Amino acid sequence: MSDFQVLLAAVLGSIVLVSSLIGAWILRHRMQHAKDIERSLKMVPLMLKLPPQEVDEGANRDEREKIKENVARAEGVYSLLSGIATNRRWLYSQRHISFEIVAQGQQIFFYVAVPVTLVSAVEKALVAAYPNIQITPTEDHNIFSDEGKIATVAGGEFNLSADNDFPIQTYKTLDFDPLSGILAGFSRLQPEEGIGIQIMFRPASPRWQIQARQHAKDLLNPQRARARNPMHIAANIAMAPVKNPDWNAKNSMTDPTKQADSIDQKMAQAIEDKASQPVFETLVRILASSASLNRSQLMIQDLANGLAQFNLPGSNGFVFQVSKSPQQLATDFIFRFFPTRKKQVVLNATELATIFHLPDEASASATPFERKGVKEIAAPADLPSRGLVLGSNFYGGRENVVRLTE
């Protein structure tokens, strides 16, 4: 075989290999998109309602203590939902859940959209944290303006400003309810205006926690981290023929004079604390619709400003990315798309609870939430099964029909 034939065979083989890789990538992308559509069609929207608190309940307690206690309840919900993870397949991501806040005109609604197979697990987790909650299946919300149509839709998604190993601000260091900053963006809407936020999450790979802990160790021992850097290793190999060996290199890795400073030590501890809890791949998406594009953009800016409170100086925070395609944004919002490739934002249970939790039962009048009319107690276990229907009792996520016997 001549040199020309060998070269030709090599070129053709390279073309076939590259074409096969491109074809496999396209096929994988299409299969993942088809799975995203299938999952979106199997999501069940549930409306969440809490009763107003009695006037005398918790009257003498510190307000900050009540806020932290309320957010901690949501933290327990996320910890329980970390158990929804299944054996991970290389092609598809884990199933996701979407907590949502939607405002239409002057009314604010809280929803959770759940895969149909996880409805029971999510209901139990919510009831465990909020015994008085009322969870009811509902139709999907529609916040799109009839007057503006798709041309006046604005919104986008949030990424992190730094590597996702670094934590954001949480409720544990705040003296106010972080939900109030978000809900401020839902106020003062006109009757035909709508705005919504989706906080979608799914369990992250266990590998993330391993890598995060390794990052924390590297911050505590920068010399060892430098020795493990591929570029540093390659440079040492290249310089090996002309450089004398450093017999003290191994000892210098543990030299106390070359250890991390106090800032790196604090950051390493913060990363370790974040990795010690259940972690989730997260996608935060916001959308607004009104009669004009300028008004929708202003509404989005107000809501995006509410998430600036989670920026932790020297660590991490949110960066808003405006969507360039209103059509794609509306489609992603309606179908609650959470693509497999979206892995940049990883938050733990505490961080997620800080962003989304149900409002405290005492804040009934300050903001127009959709609530239960009154606080209920559990119905007797021996309710009659026949007789005149008086109404329903909702408690512990269950509905019991109350009847009057003859």
Side-chain angles (χ1 to χ4, degrees), residues 315-328:
S315 182
N316 218 336
F318 285 116
V319 177
F320 181 56
Q321 291 188 332
V322 178
S323 175
K324 297 180 180 179
S325 172
Q327 181 71 47
Q328 186 62 51

Side-chain angles (χ1 to χ4, degrees), residues 159-302:
N159 285 328
L160 292 176
S161 59
D163 190 272
N164 56 31
D165 293 353
F166 297 102
I168 63 173
Q169 187 81 267
T170 68
Y171 73 94
K172 294 183 178 180
T173 56
L174 295 174
D175 293 331
F176 57 89
D177 189 349
L179 184 64
S180 61
I182 296 178
L183 293 179
F186 289 83
S187 61
R188 297 184 298 275
L189 300 187
Q190 300 301 316
E192 295 300 321
E193 296 176 343
I195 189 170
I197 181 171
Q198 294 176 335
I199 299 97
M200 294 179 286
F201 61 96
R202 62 194 177 204
S205 169
R207 291 194 300 271
W208 184 92
Q209 290 168 307
I210 296 174
Q211 294 170 355
R213 289 191 173 99
Q214 185 60 56
H215 185 188
K217 291 179 181 178
D218 291 345
L219 287 175
L220 292 175
N221 195 333
Q223 293 297 317
R224 186 178 296 275
R226 183 170 178 267
R228 293 174 55 250
N229 189 296
M231 296 298 294
H232 179 74
I233 295 173
N236 283 343
I237 294 175
M239 295 295 294
V242 296
K243 183 180 179 181
N244 292 327
D246 184 4
W247 303 109
N248 295 321
K250 183 175 181 180
N251 293 333
S252 67
M253 292 182 186
T254 56
D255 187 348
T257 64
K258 297 182 180 181
Q259 297 304 300
D261 57 25
S262 59
I263 296 178
D264 285 341
Q265 290 176 7
K266 291 180 180 179
M267 192 54 62
Q269 185 59 51
I271 294 174
E272 182 65 34
D273 291 343
K274 178 172 181 175
S276 66
Q277 295 188 23
V279 289
F280 303 85
E281 296 171 359
T282 308
L283 177 57
V284 181
R285 179 184 294 129
I286 58 178
L287 179 146
S289 177
S290 67
S292 69
L293 180 59
N294 288 338
R295 171 58 179 164
S296 297
Q297 291 173 340
L298 181 61
M299 293 161 59
I300 285 298
Q301 187 60 50
D302 290 342

